[in-house]
Amino acid sequence: MLSRTAENLFWMARYMERAEATARLLTMGQRMAILPGAHHRDEWRSVVRAAGSGDQFPEGVQVTESDAVAYLMLDLDNSSSIRSCLAKARANAKSARTMLTQDMWEALNDGWRKLDSYDVGEARQQLPALIDWVKTRVMTFRGATHSGQLRNEGHDFLRCGSALERAQMTLRLLDVKYYVLLPETEVIGGNRDHYQWTSVLYALSGARAYHHVYGGTYTPWQITDFLMLNRMFPRSVAFCYDQLAYRLNRLSGWHDKRGPCNDTIEQMVSALEQLDSGEIFRFGLHETVQQGLLMTNQLGVEIAQTYHFG
């Protein structure tokens, strides 16, 4: 396979996952912003910061829901906005068209310019419906991929991109909780804290799965354990790392060579295996999340170097 085609598939999957991740961040922001006193805690700044855009808005100026929707959903100059991600995913898909099934192409192509017709006010009024639309588009694409694409090296590149971006999504959502928690440590364990932690689960569609594992008890330690270390939940960091290790191992077989990315992902899997939720909090949730984001960024660079992207 040409390295250019591999790069298109890898980034197409990343942009689709990123669009969904940003939609889930907005969902979480909405849930947290309805709590009493939310305007004092600047919840929307936490969402923008967790999206990797903390410097976009100056300190001391409150970030409103309209600001977050404009920047994270509609702004084409923001590479992580939903509108930008859908456009870039489609552009990559066009360059790798022969590697996609008809259903995959239609899932990417159908209504991809929908957000072009919205201004901030309209998008804010219809935010839940637009978020559902984005999630449906991504899930339709994902279903078409799983049901119809050949399990060749192209599929492995696509799944690598998806797993890498999904791991980052879960880490960033946990970071939202960290940033929200900073100014109000006196309420840890209270009703507001409980609601915020369960909001993380709902944003990742993990509430039912968590209940199956832990029953009706919700604690920060158990939720963090579930989202970081549970190897059965498909949005956990551990599950995504396992998928990356599996896909990169397959790719090393296709190409009969190993690269630094293979060693890095093995180290990432091993490091998580040695953790438990208590250790995560002793070390620091924010520090653990930031280390995870650093390693996933490094892994993305090493994948590109190994397979000569760009």
Side-chain angles (χ1 to χ4, degrees), residues 95-109:
S95 298
R97 179 68 180 85
T98 57
M99 298 296 296
L100 309 183
T101 68
Q102 184 65 25
D103 288 340
M104 290 170 68
W105 173 248
E106 289 177 359
L108 278 165
N109 205 42

Side-chain angles (χ1 to χ4, degrees), residues 199-255:
S199 293
V200 181
L201 285 176
Y202 280 107
L204 289 167
S205 300
R208 177 96 34 144
Y210 174 89
H211 184 79
H212 181 78
V213 175
Y214 290 104
T217 303
Y218 293 90
T219 69
W221 298 270
Q222 288 176 333
I223 293 173
T224 301
D225 177 83
F226 181 71
L227 296 179
M228 288 288 295
L229 307 176
N230 189 295
R231 287 188 142 75
M232 293 183 290
F233 180 55
R235 294 189 183 278
S236 77
V237 177
F239 184 95
C240 293
Y241 285 5
D242 287 344
Q243 280 291 302
L244 281 161
Y246 173 69
R247 297 296 169 183
L248 289 172
N249 187 56
R250 277 175 55 92
L251 284 170
S252 69
W254 288 112
H255 292 265

Side-chain angles (χ1 to χ4, degrees), residues 1 4 18 140 164 185 216 226 245 284 291:
M1 173 181 290
R4 179 66 177 170
R18 190 175 298 178
T140 301
L164 186 66
T185 53
F226 181 71
Q291 180 66 18

Side-chain angles (χ1 to χ4, degrees), residues 138-149:
V138 176
M139 286 187 281
T140 301
F141 171 76
R142 190 178 296 132
T145 301
H146 291 345
S147 64
Q149 192 181 36

Side-chain angles (χ1 to χ4, degrees), residues 18 26 60 66 143 147 157 165 194 197-198 203 229 233 239 246 251 253 278 294 298:
R18 190 175 298 178
L26 288 168
S66 294
S147 64
F157 279 115
E165 198 69 36
H194 174 272
W197 275 108
T198 56
L229 307 176
F233 180 55
F239 184 95
Y246 173 69
L251 284 170
L294 181 66
Q298 177 183 332

